[in-house]
Coordinates of all heavy atoms in Angstrom, one line a residue:
M1 N 16.6 -0.1 -13.7 CA 15.4 0.6 -14.0 C 15.7 1.5 -15.2 O 16.6 2.3 -15.2 CB 14.9 1.4 -12.8 CG 13.6 2.0 -13.1 SD 12.8 2.6 -11.5 CE 14.2 3.5 -10.7
S2 N 14.9 1.5 -16.2 CA 15.1 2.3 -17.4 C 14.4 3.6 -17.2 O 13.5 3.7 -16.4 CB 14.7 1.6 -18.6 OG 13.3 1.5 -18.7
K3 N 14.7 4.6 -18.1 CA 14.0 5.9 -18.1 C 12.5 5.7 -18.4 O 11.7 6.5 -18.0 CB 14.7 6.8 -19.0 CG 16.0 7.3 -18.5 CD 16.4 8.6 -19.2 CE 17.5 9.2 -18.4 NZ 18.8 9.0 -19.1
K4 N 12.3 4.7 -19.2 CA 10.9 4.5 -19.6 C 10.0 4.2 -18.4 O 8.9 4.6 -18.3 CB 10.9 3.3 -20.6 CG 9.8 3.5 -21.7 CD 9.9 2.3 -22.6 CE 8.7 2.2 -23.5 NZ 8.7 1.0 -24.2
D5 N 10.6 3.5 -17.4 CA 9.8 3.1 -16.2 C 9.5 4.4 -15.4 O 8.5 4.6 -14.9 CB 10.6 2.2 -15.4 CG 10.8 0.8 -16.1 OD1 9.9 0.4 -16.8 OD2 11.8 0.2 -15.9
I6 N 10.5 5.3 -15.3 CA 10.4 6.5 -14.5 C 9.3 7.3 -15.0 O 8.5 7.9 -14.3 CB 11.7 7.3 -14.5 CG1 12.8 6.4 -13.8 CG2 11.6 8.6 -13.7 CD1 14.2 7.0 -13.9
F7 N 9.1 7.4 -16.3 CA 8.1 8.3 -16.9 C 6.9 7.5 -17.4 O 6.3 7.9 -18.4 CB 8.7 9.2 -18.0 CG 9.8 10.1 -17.4 CD1 11.1 9.7 -17.5 CD2 9.5 11.3 -16.9 CE1 12.1 10.6 -17.0 CE2 10.4 12.1 -16.4 CZ 11.8 11.7 -16.4
D8 N 6.6 6.5 -16.8 CA 5.4 5.7 -17.2 C 4.2 6.5 -17.1 O 3.9 7.2 -16.1 CB 5.3 4.4 -16.2 CG 4.4 3.4 -16.8 OD1 3.2 3.7 -17.0 OD2 4.9 2.3 -17.0
K9 N 3.3 6.3 -18.1 CA 2.1 7.1 -18.2 C 1.1 6.8 -17.2 O 0.2 7.6 -16.9 CB 1.5 6.8 -19.6 CG 1.9 7.8 -20.6 CD 1.1 7.6 -21.9 CE 1.6 8.5 -23.0 NZ 1.0 8.3 -24.2
R10 N 1.2 5.6 -16.6 CA 0.2 5.2 -15.6 C 0.5 5.6 -14.2 O -0.3 5.4 -13.3 CB 0.0 3.6 -15.7 CG -0.6 3.1 -16.9 CD -0.3 1.7 -17.1 NE 1.1 1.5 -17.3 CZ 1.7 0.3 -17.5 NH1 1.0 -0.8 -17.6 NH2 3.0 0.2 -17.7
V11 N 1.6 6.2 -14.1 CA 2.1 6.6 -12.7 C 1.4 7.9 -12.3 O 1.5 8.9 -13.0 CB 3.6 6.8 -12.7 CG1 4.1 7.4 -11.4 CG2 4.3 5.4 -12.9
P12 N 0.7 8.0 -11.1 CA 0.1 9.2 -10.7 C 1.2 10.2 -10.4 O 2.3 9.9 -10.1 CB -0.6 8.8 -9.4 CG -0.6 7.3 -9.4 CD 0.5 6.8 -10.2
L13 N 0.7 11.5 -10.4 CA 1.7 12.6 -10.2 C 2.5 12.5 -8.9 O 3.7 12.7 -8.9 CB 0.8 13.9 -10.1 CG 1.6 15.2 -10.0 CD1 2.5 15.4 -11.2 CD2 0.7 16.4 -9.9
L14 N 1.9 12.0 -7.8 CA 2.6 11.9 -6.6 C 3.8 10.9 -6.7 O 4.9 11.3 -6.3 CB 1.7 11.3 -5.5 CG 2.3 11.0 -4.1 CD1 2.6 12.3 -3.4 CD2 1.4 10.1 -3.3
D15 N 3.6 9.8 -7.3 CA 4.7 8.9 -7.5 C 5.8 9.4 -8.4 O 7.0 9.2 -8.2 CB 4.2 7.5 -8.0 CG 3.2 6.9 -7.0 OD1 3.6 6.9 -5.8 OD2 2.2 6.4 -7.4
L16 N 5.3 10.1 -9.4 CA 6.3 10.7 -10.4 C 7.2 11.7 -9.7 O 8.4 11.7 -9.8 CB 5.4 11.4 -11.5 CG 6.2 11.9 -12.7 CD1 6.8 10.8 -13.5 CD2 5.2 12.7 -13.6
V17 N 6.5 12.6 -8.9 CA 7.3 13.7 -8.2 C 8.2 13.1 -7.2 O 9.4 13.5 -7.1 CB 6.3 14.7 -7.6 CG1 7.1 15.7 -6.8 CG2 5.5 15.4 -8.7
K18 N 7.8 12.0 -6.5 CA 8.6 11.3 -5.5 C 9.9 10.8 -6.2 O 10.9 10.7 -5.6 CB 7.8 10.2 -4.8 CG 7.1 10.7 -3.6 CD 6.5 9.5 -3.0 CE 5.7 9.9 -1.7 NZ 4.9 8.8 -1.2
K19 N 9.7 10.3 -7.4 CA 10.8 9.6 -8.1 C 11.8 10.7 -8.6 O 13.0 10.5 -8.4 CB 10.3 8.8 -9.3 CG 10.3 7.3 -9.0 CD 9.8 6.6 -10.2 CE 9.4 5.2 -9.8 NZ 8.6 4.5 -10.7
I20 N 11.3 11.7 -9.2 CA 12.3 12.6 -9.9 C 12.6 13.8 -9.0 O 13.6 14.5 -9.2 CB 11.7 13.1 -11.2 CG1 10.4 13.9 -11.0 CG2 11.5 12.0 -12.2 CD1 9.9 14.5 -12.3
N21 N 11.8 14.0 -7.9 CA 12.1 15.1 -7.0 C 12.2 16.5 -7.6 O 12.9 17.3 -7.2 CB 13.4 14.9 -6.2 CG 13.1 14.2 -4.9 OD1 12.4 14.7 -4.1 ND2 13.7 13.0 -4.7
L22 N 11.4 16.6 -8.6 CA 11.3 17.9 -9.3 C 9.8 18.3 -9.4 O 8.9 17.4 -9.5 CB 11.9 17.8 -10.7 CG 13.4 17.6 -10.7 CD1 13.8 17.3 -12.2 CD2 14.2 18.8 -10.3
W23 N 9.6 19.6 -9.5 CA 8.2 20.1 -9.6 C 8.2 21.2 -10.6 O 9.1 22.1 -10.6 CB 7.8 20.6 -8.2 CG 6.4 21.1 -8.1 CD1 6.1 22.4 -8.0 CD2 5.2 20.4 -8.1 NE1 4.7 22.6 -7.9 CE2 4.2 21.3 -7.9 CE3 4.9 19.0 -8.1 CZ2 2.8 20.9 -7.9 CZ3 3.6 18.6 -8.1 CH2 2.6 19.6 -7.9
V24 N 7.1 21.3 -11.4 CA 7.1 22.4 -12.3 C 5.9 23.3 -12.0 O 4.8 22.8 -11.7 CB 7.0 21.8 -13.8 CG1 5.7 21.1 -14.1 CG2 7.2 22.9 -14.8
S25 N 6.1 24.6 -11.9 CA 5.1 25.5 -11.5 C 4.2 25.8 -12.7 O 4.5 25.4 -13.8 CB 5.7 26.8 -11.1 OG 6.1 27.6 -12.2
K26 N 3.1 26.5 -12.5 CA 2.2 26.8 -13.5 C 2.8 27.7 -14.6 O 2.4 27.6 -15.8 CB 0.9 27.6 -13.0 CG 0.0 26.6 -12.4 CD -1.3 27.3 -11.8 CE -2.2 26.2 -11.2 NZ -3.1 26.8 -10.2
K27 N 3.8 28.4 -14.2 CA 4.5 29.3 -15.2 C 5.6 28.5 -15.9 O 6.3 29.1 -16.8 CB 5.1 30.5 -14.5 CG 4.0 31.5 -14.2 CD 4.6 32.7 -13.5 CE 3.5 33.7 -13.1 NZ 4.0 34.7 -12.1
G28 N 5.8 27.3 -15.5 CA 6.9 26.5 -16.2 C 8.2 26.5 -15.6 O 9.2 26.2 -16.2
T29 N 8.3 27.0 -14.3 CA 9.6 27.0 -13.6 C 9.8 25.6 -13.0 O 8.9 25.1 -12.3 CB 9.6 28.1 -12.6 OG1 9.2 29.3 -13.2 CG2 11.0 28.3 -11.9
L30 N 11.0 25.1 -13.1 CA 11.3 23.8 -12.6 C 11.9 24.0 -11.2 O 12.9 24.7 -11.0 CB 12.2 23.1 -13.5 CG 12.4 21.6 -13.3 CD1 11.1 20.8 -13.6 CD2 13.6 21.0 -14.1
H31 N 11.3 23.4 -10.2 CA 11.8 23.5 -8.8 C 12.3 22.2 -8.3 O 11.8 21.1 -8.7 CB 10.6 24.0 -7.9 CG 10.1 25.3 -8.2 ND1 10.7 26.5 -7.7 CD2 9.1 25.8 -8.9 CE1 10.0 27.5 -8.1 NE2 9.0 27.1 -8.8
G32 N 13.1 22.2 -7.3 CA 13.5 21.1 -6.6 C 12.6 20.8 -5.4 O 12.1 21.7 -4.8
V33 N 12.2 19.5 -5.2 CA 11.2 19.2 -4.2 C 11.9 18.9 -2.8 O 12.8 18.1 -2.7 CB 10.4 18.0 -4.6 CG1 9.5 17.5 -3.5 CG2 9.6 18.4 -5.8
K34 N 11.4 19.6 -1.8 CA 11.9 19.4 -0.4 C 11.0 18.4 0.3 O 11.5 17.5 1.0 CB 11.9 20.7 0.3 CG 12.8 20.8 1.5 CD 13.0 22.3 1.7 CE 13.3 22.6 3.1 NZ 13.2 24.1 3.4
E35 N 9.7 18.7 0.2 CA 8.7 17.8 0.9 C 7.5 17.6 0.1 O 7.1 18.5 -0.7 CB 8.2 18.6 2.2 CG 9.1 18.4 3.4 CD 8.6 19.3 4.6 OE1 7.5 19.7 4.5 OE2 9.4 19.5 5.4
I36 N 6.9 16.5 0.2 CA 5.7 16.2 -0.5 C 4.7 15.5 0.4 O 5.1 14.6 1.2 CB 6.0 15.4 -1.8 CG1 4.7 15.2 -2.6 CG2 6.7 14.1 -1.6 CD1 5.0 14.8 -4.1
E37 N 3.5 15.9 0.3 CA 2.5 15.4 1.2 C 1.2 15.1 0.4 O 0.8 15.9 -0.5 CB 2.2 16.4 2.2 CG 1.3 16.0 3.4 CD 0.9 17.2 4.2 OE1 1.8 18.0 4.5 OE2 -0.3 17.3 4.6
E38 N 0.6 14.0 0.7 CA -0.7 13.7 0.0 C -1.8 14.1 0.8 O -1.9 13.9 2.1 CB -0.7 12.1 -0.2 CG -1.8 11.7 -1.2 CD -1.7 10.2 -1.4 OE1 -0.9 9.5 -0.7 OE2 -2.5 9.7 -2.2
R39 N -2.8 14.8 0.2 CA -4.0 15.3 1.0 C -5.2 15.0 0.1 O -5.5 15.8 -0.8 CB -3.8 16.8 1.3 CG -4.4 17.1 2.6 CD -4.1 18.5 3.0 NE -2.8 18.7 3.6 CZ -2.3 19.8 4.0 NH1 -2.9 20.9 3.7 NH2 -1.1 19.9 4.5
G40 N -5.8 13.9 0.3 CA -7.0 13.6 -0.5 C -6.6 13.4 -1.9 O -5.6 12.6 -2.2
S41 N -7.2 14.0 -2.8 CA -6.9 13.9 -4.2 C -5.8 14.9 -4.7 O -5.6 15.1 -5.9 CB -8.1 14.0 -5.1 OG -8.8 15.2 -4.8
F42 N -5.3 15.6 -3.7 CA -4.3 16.6 -4.0 C -2.9 16.3 -3.4 O -2.9 15.5 -2.5 CB -4.7 18.0 -3.5 CG -5.8 18.6 -4.3 CD1 -7.1 18.4 -4.0 CD2 -5.5 19.5 -5.4 CE1 -8.1 18.9 -4.8 CE2 -6.5 20.0 -6.1 CZ -7.8 19.8 -5.8
I43 N -1.9 16.8 -4.0 CA -0.6 16.7 -3.3 C -0.1 18.1 -3.0 O -0.3 19.1 -3.8 CB 0.4 15.9 -4.2 CG1 0.6 16.5 -5.5 CG2 0.0 14.5 -4.3 CD1 1.8 15.9 -6.3
I44 N 0.5 18.3 -1.9 CA 1.1 19.5 -1.5 C 2.6 19.4 -1.6 O 3.2 18.5 -1.0 CB 0.7 19.9 0.0 CG1 -0.8 19.6 0.3 CG2 1.1 21.3 0.3 CD1 -1.7 20.5 -0.3
V45 N 3.2 20.3 -2.3 CA 4.7 20.2 -2.5 C 5.3 21.4 -1.9 O 4.9 22.6 -2.1 CB 5.0 20.1 -4.0 CG1 6.5 20.2 -4.2 CG2 4.5 18.8 -4.5
R46 N 6.4 21.2 -1.1 CA 7.2 22.3 -0.7 C 8.5 22.3 -1.4 O 9.2 21.2 -1.4 CB 7.5 22.3 0.8 CG 8.2 23.5 1.3 CD 8.5 23.4 2.8 NE 7.2 23.6 3.6 CZ 6.7 24.8 3.9 NH1 7.4 25.9 3.6 NH2 5.6 24.9 4.6
T47 N 8.9 23.3 -2.1 CA 10.1 23.3 -2.9 C 11.3 23.8 -2.1 O 11.1 24.3 -1.0 CB 9.9 24.2 -4.2 OG1 9.7 25.6 -3.7 CG2 8.7 23.8 -5.0
H48 N 12.4 23.7 -2.7 CA 13.7 24.1 -2.0 C 13.7 25.6 -1.8 O 14.4 26.1 -0.9 CB 14.9 23.6 -2.7 CG 15.2 22.2 -2.4 ND1 15.7 21.8 -1.2 CD2 15.1 21.1 -3.2 CE1 15.8 20.5 -1.2 NE2 15.5 20.0 -2.4
C49 N 13.0 26.4 -2.6 CA 12.9 27.8 -2.4 C 11.8 28.2 -1.5 O 11.4 29.3 -1.4 CB 12.8 28.5 -3.8 SG 11.4 28.0 -4.8
N50 N 11.2 27.2 -0.8 CA 10.2 27.4 0.3 C 8.9 27.8 -0.3 O 8.1 28.5 0.5 CB 10.7 28.3 1.4 CG 11.5 27.5 2.4 OD1 11.2 26.4 2.7 ND2 12.7 28.1 2.7
A51 N 8.6 27.6 -1.5 CA 7.2 27.8 -2.0 C 6.4 26.6 -1.8 O 6.9 25.5 -1.9 CB 7.3 28.2 -3.5
V52 N 5.1 26.8 -1.5 CA 4.2 25.7 -1.3 C 3.2 25.7 -2.5 O 2.7 26.7 -2.8 CB 3.5 25.8 0.0 CG1 2.5 24.6 0.1 CG2 4.5 25.7 1.2
S53 N 3.1 24.5 -3.1 CA 2.3 24.4 -4.3 C 1.4 23.2 -4.2 O 1.7 22.2 -3.6 CB 3.2 24.3 -5.5 OG 2.4 24.3 -6.7
R54 N 0.2 23.4 -4.7 CA -0.8 22.3 -4.6 C -1.1 21.8 -6.0 O -1.3 22.6 -6.9 CB -2.0 22.8 -3.9 CG -2.9 21.7 -3.4 CD -4.1 22.3 -2.7 NE -5.1 22.8 -3.6 CZ -6.4 22.8 -3.4 NH1 -6.9 22.3 -2.2 NH2 -7.2 23.2 -4.3
G55 N -1.2 20.5 -6.2 CA -1.6 20.0 -7.5 C -2.5 18.8 -7.4 O -2.5 18.1 -6.3
R56 N -3.3 18.6 -8.4 CA -4.2 17.4 -8.3 C -3.3 16.1 -8.6 O -2.5 16.1 -9.5 CB -5.2 17.5 -9.4 CG -6.5 16.8 -9.1 CD -7.7 17.4 -9.8 NE -7.4 17.6 -11.3 CZ -7.7 16.6 -12.2 NH1 -8.2 15.5 -11.8 NH2 -7.4 16.8 -13.4
N57 N -3.5 15.1 -7.8 CA -2.8 13.9 -7.9 C -3.4 13.0 -9.0 O -4.0 12.0 -8.8 CB -2.7 13.1 -6.6 CG -1.8 11.9 -6.7 OD1 -0.9 11.9 -7.6 ND2 -2.0 10.9 -5.8
S58 N -3.1 13.5 -10.2 CA -3.8 12.8 -11.4 C -2.7 12.4 -12.4 O -1.6 12.9 -12.4 CB -4.7 13.8 -12.1 OG -4.9 13.5 -13.4
K59 N -3.0 11.4 -13.2 CA -2.1 11.0 -14.2 C -2.1 11.9 -15.4 O -1.2 11.9 -16.2 CB -2.4 9.5 -14.7 CG -2.5 8.5 -13.6 CD -3.0 7.2 -14.2 CE -3.5 6.2 -13.2 NZ -4.7 6.6 -12.5
N60 N -3.2 12.6 -15.5 CA -3.5 13.3 -16.7 C -3.5 14.8 -16.6 O -3.9 15.5 -17.5 CB -4.8 12.9 -17.4 CG -4.8 11.4 -17.6 OD1 -3.9 10.9 -18.2 ND2 -5.8 10.7 -17.1
S61 N -3.1 15.3 -15.4 CA -3.1 16.8 -15.3 C -2.0 17.4 -16.2 O -1.1 16.7 -16.6 CB -2.8 17.2 -13.8 OG -1.5 16.8 -13.5
R62 N -2.1 18.7 -16.4 CA -1.2 19.4 -17.3 C 0.2 19.2 -16.7 O 1.2 19.0 -17.4 CB -1.5 20.8 -17.4 CG -0.8 21.6 -18.5 CD -1.3 23.0 -18.5 NE -0.8 23.7 -17.3 CZ 0.2 24.6 -17.4 NH1 0.7 24.9 -18.6 NH2 0.6 25.2 -16.4
R63 N 0.3 19.3 -15.4 CA 1.6 19.2 -14.7 C 2.2 17.8 -14.8 O 3.4 17.7 -15.1 CB 1.4 19.5 -13.2 CG 2.6 19.7 -12.4 CD 2.3 20.2 -11.1 NE 2.4 21.7 -11.0 CZ 1.5 22.5 -10.5 NH1 0.4 21.9 -10.0 NH2 1.6 23.7 -10.5
A64 N 1.4 16.8 -14.7 CA 1.9 15.4 -14.8 C 2.4 15.2 -16.3 O 3.4 14.6 -16.5 CB 0.8 14.4 -14.5
R65 N 1.7 15.8 -17.2 CA 2.1 15.7 -18.6 C 3.4 16.4 -18.9 O 4.3 15.9 -19.5 CB 1.0 16.3 -19.5 CG 0.6 15.4 -20.6 CD -0.7 15.9 -21.3 NE -0.8 17.3 -21.5 CZ -1.9 17.9 -21.0 NH1 -2.9 17.3 -20.4 NH2 -2.0 19.2 -21.2
W66 N 3.6 17.6 -18.3 CA 4.8 18.3 -18.5 C 6.0 17.6 -17.9 O 7.0 17.5 -18.5 CB 4.7 19.7 -17.7 CG 4.1 20.8 -18.6 CD1 3.0 20.7 -19.3 CD2 4.7 22.1 -18.9 NE1 2.8 21.9 -20.0 CE2 3.8 22.7 -19.7 CE3 5.8 22.7 -18.5 CZ2 4.1 24.0 -20.2 CZ3 6.1 24.0 -18.9 CH2 5.2 24.6 -19.8
L67 N 5.8 17.0 -16.7 CA 6.9 16.3 -16.0 C 7.2 15.0 -16.8 O 8.4 14.7 -17.0 CB 6.6 16.0 -14.6 CG 6.5 17.1 -13.6 CD1 6.0 16.7 -12.3 CD2 7.9 17.8 -13.5
R68 N 6.2 14.4 -17.3 CA 6.5 13.2 -18.1 C 7.2 13.5 -19.4 O 8.0 12.7 -19.9 CB 5.2 12.4 -18.4 CG 4.8 11.4 -17.4 CD 3.9 10.3 -18.0 NE 2.8 10.9 -18.8 CZ 1.6 11.2 -18.3 NH1 1.4 11.0 -17.0 NH2 0.7 11.8 -19.0
Q69 N 6.8 14.6 -20.0 CA 7.4 15.0 -21.3 C 8.7 15.8 -21.1 O 9.3 16.3 -22.0 CB 6.4 15.8 -22.1 CG 5.2 15.0 -22.6 CD 4.1 15.8 -23.1 OE1 4.2 17.1 -23.2 NE2 3.0 15.2 -23.5
R70 N 9.1 15.9 -19.8 CA 10.3 16.6 -19.5 C 10.3 18.0 -19.9 O 11.3 18.6 -20.5 CB 11.5 15.9 -20.1 CG 11.6 14.4 -19.7 CD 12.2 13.6 -20.8 NE 11.8 12.2 -20.8 CZ 12.7 11.2 -20.5 NH1 13.9 11.5 -20.3 NH2 12.3 10.0 -20.4
R71 N 9.2 18.7 -19.8 CA 9.1 20.0 -20.3 C 9.1 21.0 -19.1 O 8.6 20.8 -18.1 CB 7.7 20.2 -21.0 CG 7.7 19.7 -22.4 CD 6.3 19.8 -22.9 NE 5.8 21.2 -23.0 CZ 4.5 21.5 -23.3 NH1 3.6 20.5 -23.4 NH2 4.1 22.7 -23.3
Y72 N 9.8 22.1 -19.3 CA 9.8 23.2 -18.4 C 10.4 24.4 -19.2 O 11.0 24.3 -20.2 CB 10.6 23.0 -17.1 CG 12.1 22.7 -17.3 CD1 13.0 23.8 -17.2 CD2 12.6 21.5 -17.6 CE1 14.4 23.6 -17.4 CE2 13.9 21.3 -17.8 CZ 14.8 22.3 -17.7 OH 16.2 22.2 -17.9
I73 N 10.2 25.6 -18.6 CA 10.6 26.8 -19.3 C 12.0 27.2 -18.8 O 12.9 27.4 -19.5 CB 9.6 27.9 -19.3 CG1 8.4 27.5 -20.1 CG2 10.1 29.2 -19.8 CD1 7.1 28.2 -19.8
T74 N 12.1 27.3 -17.5 CA 13.3 27.7 -16.9 C 13.5 27.1 -15.5 O 12.5 26.9 -14.8 CB 13.4 29.3 -16.8 OG1 14.5 29.6 -16.1 CG2 12.1 29.8 -16.1
P75 N 14.7 26.7 -15.1 CA 14.9 26.1 -13.8 C 14.9 27.2 -12.8 O 15.4 28.3 -13.1 CB 16.3 25.4 -13.9 CG 17.0 26.0 -15.1 CD 15.9 26.6 -16.0
C76 N 14.4 27.0 -11.6 CA 14.4 27.9 -10.5 C 15.8 28.2 -10.0 O 16.5 27.3 -9.7 CB 13.5 27.4 -9.4 SG 13.6 28.4 -7.9
K77 N 16.1 29.5 -9.9 CA 17.5 29.9 -9.5 C 17.7 29.6 -8.0 O 18.8 29.2 -7.6 CB 17.8 31.3 -9.8 CG 18.1 31.5 -11.3 CD 18.6 32.9 -11.6 CE 18.8 33.1 -13.1 NZ 17.9 34.1 -13.6
K78 N 16.6 29.9 -7.3 CA 16.7 29.7 -5.8 C 16.9 28.2 -5.4 O 17.5 27.9 -4.4 CB 15.5 30.3 -5.1 CG 15.6 31.8 -5.1 CD 14.4 32.3 -4.2 CE 13.9 33.7 -4.6 NZ 12.6 33.9 -4.2
C79 N 16.3 27.3 -6.2 CA 16.3 25.9 -5.9 C 17.7 25.3 -6.2 O 18.0 24.3 -5.6 CB 15.2 25.1 -6.6 SG 13.6 25.2 -5.9
K80 N 18.4 25.9 -7.0 CA 19.8 25.4 -7.4 C 19.8 23.9 -7.7 O 20.5 23.2 -7.1 CB 20.8 25.7 -6.3 CG 21.0 27.2 -6.0 CD 22.2 27.4 -5.1 CE 22.6 28.8 -4.9 NZ 21.8 29.5 -3.9
I81 N 19.0 23.6 -8.7 CA 18.9 22.2 -9.1 C 20.2 21.8 -9.8 O 20.7 22.6 -10.7 CB 17.7 22.0 -10.1 CG1 16.4 22.4 -9.4 CG2 17.7 20.5 -10.6 CD1 15.3 22.6 -10.4
P82 N 20.9 20.8 -9.3 CA 22.2 20.5 -9.9 C 22.1 20.1 -11.4 O 21.1 19.6 -11.8 CB 22.7 19.3 -9.1 CG 21.5 18.8 -8.3 CD 20.5 19.9 -8.2
D83 N 23.2 20.4 -12.1 CA 23.2 20.1 -13.5 C 22.9 18.7 -13.9 O 22.2 18.4 -14.8 CB 24.6 20.5 -14.0 CG 24.6 21.8 -14.7 OD1 23.6 22.5 -14.6 OD2 25.7 22.2 -15.3
W84 N 23.5 17.8 -13.1 CA 23.3 16.4 -13.5 C 21.8 16.0 -13.4 O 21.3 15.2 -14.2 CB 24.1 15.4 -12.6 CG 23.7 15.5 -11.1 CD1 24.3 16.2 -10.1 CD2 22.7 14.7 -10.4 NE1 23.8 16.0 -8.9 CE2 22.8 15.1 -9.1 CE3 21.7 13.8 -10.9 CZ2 21.8 14.6 -8.1 CZ3 20.9 13.3 -9.9 CH2 20.9 13.7 -8.6
K85 N 21.1 16.6 -12.5 CA 19.7 16.3 -12.3 C 18.9 16.9 -13.5 O 17.9 16.3 -14.0 CB 19.2 17.0 -11.0 CG 18.1 16.2 -10.4 CD 17.8 16.7 -9.0 CE 17.1 15.7 -8.2 NZ 16.8 16.2 -6.8
L86 N 19.3 18.1 -13.9 CA 18.6 18.7 -15.1 C 18.9 17.9 -16.3 O 18.0 17.6 -17.1 CB 19.1 20.1 -15.3 CG 18.6 21.2 -14.3 CD1 19.3 22.5 -14.6 CD2 17.1 21.3 -14.4
K87 N 20.1 17.4 -16.4 CA 20.4 16.6 -17.6 C 19.7 15.2 -17.6 O 19.2 14.8 -18.6 CB 21.9 16.3 -17.6 CG 22.7 17.5 -18.3 CD 24.2 17.2 -18.3 CE 24.9 18.4 -18.8 NZ 26.3 18.5 -18.3
R88 N 19.6 14.7 -16.4 CA 18.9 13.4 -16.3 C 17.4 13.6 -16.6 O 16.8 12.8 -17.3 CB 19.0 12.9 -14.8 CG 18.6 11.4 -14.7 CD 18.7 10.9 -13.3 NE 17.7 11.6 -12.4 CZ 17.6 11.4 -11.1 NH1 18.3 10.5 -10.6 NH2 16.7 12.1 -10.4
F89 N 16.9 14.7 -16.1 CA 15.5 15.1 -16.4 C 15.3 15.2 -17.9 O 14.3 14.8 -18.5 CB 15.1 16.3 -15.6 CG 13.6 16.7 -15.8 CD1 12.6 15.8 -15.4 CD2 13.3 17.9 -16.4 CE1 11.3 16.2 -15.5 CE2 11.9 18.2 -16.6 CZ 10.9 17.4 -16.1
A90 N 16.2 15.9 -18.5 CA 16.1 16.1 -20.0 C 16.3 14.9 -20.8 O 16.1 14.9 -22.0 CB 17.0 17.2 -20.4
G91 N 16.8 13.8 -20.1 CA 17.0 12.6 -20.8 C 18.3 12.5 -21.6 O 18.5 11.7 -22.5
K92 N 19.2 13.5 -21.3 CA 20.5 13.5 -22.0 C 21.5 12.7 -21.3 O 21.5 12.6 -20.0 CB 21.0 14.9 -22.1 CG 20.3 15.7 -23.2 CD 20.8 17.2 -23.1 CE 19.7 18.1 -23.8 NZ 19.8 19.4 -23.3
K93 N 22.4 12.0 -22.0 CA 23.5 11.3 -21.4 C 24.7 12.2 -21.1 O 25.5 12.2 -22.0 CB 23.8 10.1 -22.2 CG 22.8 9.0 -22.1 CD 23.1 7.9 -23.1 CE 21.8 7.0 -23.3 NZ 21.9 6.2 -24.5
S94 N 24.7 12.9 -20.0 CA 25.7 13.9 -19.7 C 26.6 14.1 -20.8 O 27.7 14.1 -20.9 CB 26.4 13.6 -18.4 OG 26.9 12.3 -18.3
Ligands
LIG1 ZN1 12.3 27.0 -6.6

């Protein structure tokens, strides 16, 4: 599977988050995903720092766009996302 497949534009947010196990908050903080649940047209995400966040399960939401474009402002310190995961997310070859 190539990186292109992982960040396919047609993939809804739920599938995207399930694949990469990362979540970006409204402020641009990147969190690690502990649990994810589908509820109607929304998804509920529990992060490793025990925050619960809700997002629309859309291909075109701002959040889906950020995750696809590998954008975030800062990684969450409490989630302790491993370096390799951040590098993979950023698309760098370690
Ligand atoms: Zn966090």
Side-chain angles (χ1 to χ4, degrees):
M1 188 167 46
S2 74
K3 283 202 171 100
K4 215 176 164 190
D5 295 326
I6 297 173
F7 296 96
D8 196 301
K9 271 188 182 174
R10 289 159 297 180
V11 172
L13 186 60
L14 177 74
D15 297 314
L16 188 66
V17 174
K18 271 184 179 168
K19 258 180 194 164
I20 62 178
N21 266 302
L22 293 168
W23 180 255
V24 67
S25 79
K26 277 182 183 154
K27 285 178 183 168
T29 309
L30 195 70
H31 296 276
V33 172
K34 200 163 152 191
E35 272 173 23
I36 181 163
E37 188 190 317
E38 194 175 6
R39 215 172 278 175
S41 57
F42 286 88
I43 57 173
I44 317 285
V45 171
R46 185 180 289 275
T47 64
H48 280 290
C49 55
N50 278 317
V52 177
S53 186
R54 196 177 78 145
R56 207 155 53 87
N57 187 20
S58 153
K59 305 174 193 68
N60 304 309
S61 67
R62 195 178 72 105
R63 190 169 267 132
R65 229 168 37 236
W66 272 52
L67 289 175
R68 267 205 315 270
Q69 292 168 0
R70 305 146 202 249
R71 279 174 63 193
Y72 64 94
I73 292 161
T74 173
C76 173
K77 281 187 185 120
K78 285 187 208 159
C79 277
K80 294 192 177 81
I81 302 164
D83 260 6
W84 63 265
K85 212 171 201 181
L86 287 175
K87 277 179 185 157
R88 194 183 64 179
F89 182 63
K92 283 174 198 154
K93 286 173 193 159
S94 51

